[in-house]
Amino acid sequence: MVTTALMAFLHHLLAFTLTACLMYEFIAYRKNMGMAEIRRIQRVDLVYGISAGLLVVVGLLRVFFFEKGVNFYMNNPYFWVKMTAFLLVGLLSIDPTIRYIRWNRTLRQNGVPEISEPEYKRTRLLLWLEIIGIAVILLAAPMMARGIGMN
């Protein structure tokens, strides 16, 4: 029982870390950022990716070894809503991450990357959509845990 509680703790810690990183990126991302802010966004995005990867590992461990059993999850429609939303958030996060990595060319030359208006709008939209995806996950999680929608 203690191990199950610790796994739930890790799952929640990673989920909140991921969410905090996304919110930071959303708030901090602006057109005219300085070098320090750009580097901070890059580091936060790295933590975002690491927490997402670890969240998948811990989540799978919970499904297969520590919680209600594989059958509960595989037959639960909200589990699949949650997994689909998580996958979509992950796919949406690829474009901003690539943009942040591309900034390194300019940063190596002690320059500050210029963010065009279309790039700014696209990244803001993707960050918004990621936040919406996280909200879907936060709604699906308690529905899943309570077995809502199962026959």
Side-chain angles (χ1 to χ4, degrees):
M1 194 173 283
V2 172
T3 306
T4 300
L6 288 174
M7 292 303 288
F9 163 75
L10 279 175
H11 190 81
H12 290 103
L13 180 64
L14 291 165
F16 288 126
T17 300
L18 181 148
T19 302
C21 289
L22 176 58
M23 293 308 298
Y24 178 84
E25 285 184 38
F26 180 77
I27 291 167
Y29 184 79
R30 297 180 312 277
K31 274 191 68 166
N32 299 311
M33 294 180 287
M35 189 176 296
E37 190 61 50
I38 285 173
R39 290 192 190 280
R40 225 177 342 264
I41 284 178
Q42 288 178 316
R43 284 190 303 273
V44 167
D45 192 64
L46 177 62
V47 173
Y48 177 71
I50 291 168
S51 64
L54 290 173
L55 186 59
V56 168
V57 170
V58 170
L60 289 172
L61 288 171
R62 291 183 75 200
V63 166
F64 288 102
F65 301 109
F66 294 107
E67 292 296 331
K68 297 172 176 145
V70 171
N71 289 333
F72 175 83
Y73 294 101
M74 296 302 136
N75 295 308
N76 190 312
Y78 286 101
F79 172 79
W80 294 109
V81 168
K82 191 176 162 187
M83 293 303 98
T84 302
F86 189 83
L87 176 65
L88 290 174
V89 168
L91 292 172
L92 290 168
S93 75
I94 293 170
D95 187 82
T97 296
I98 290 170
R99 290 177 189 280
Y100 303 157
I101 291 169
R102 285 185 181 153
W103 290 345
N104 285 330
R105 283 183 237 146
T106 306
L107 292 170
R108 275 191 293 264
Q109 300 168 354
N110 290 323
V112 176
E114 185 178 317
I115 300 169
S116 69
E117 187 65 24
E119 177 184 351
Y120 173 76
K121 286 181 177 179
R122 178 183 173 94
T123 302
R124 288 299 286 181
L125 174 63
L126 291 170
L127 293 171
W128 259 119
L129 293 172
E130 287 179 64
I131 290 169
I132 292 167
I134 295 294
V136 169
I137 292 167
L138 291 173
L139 174 62
M143 306 285 265
M144 175 196 74
R146 285 159 182 80
I148 296 172
M150 295 180 70
N151 295 333

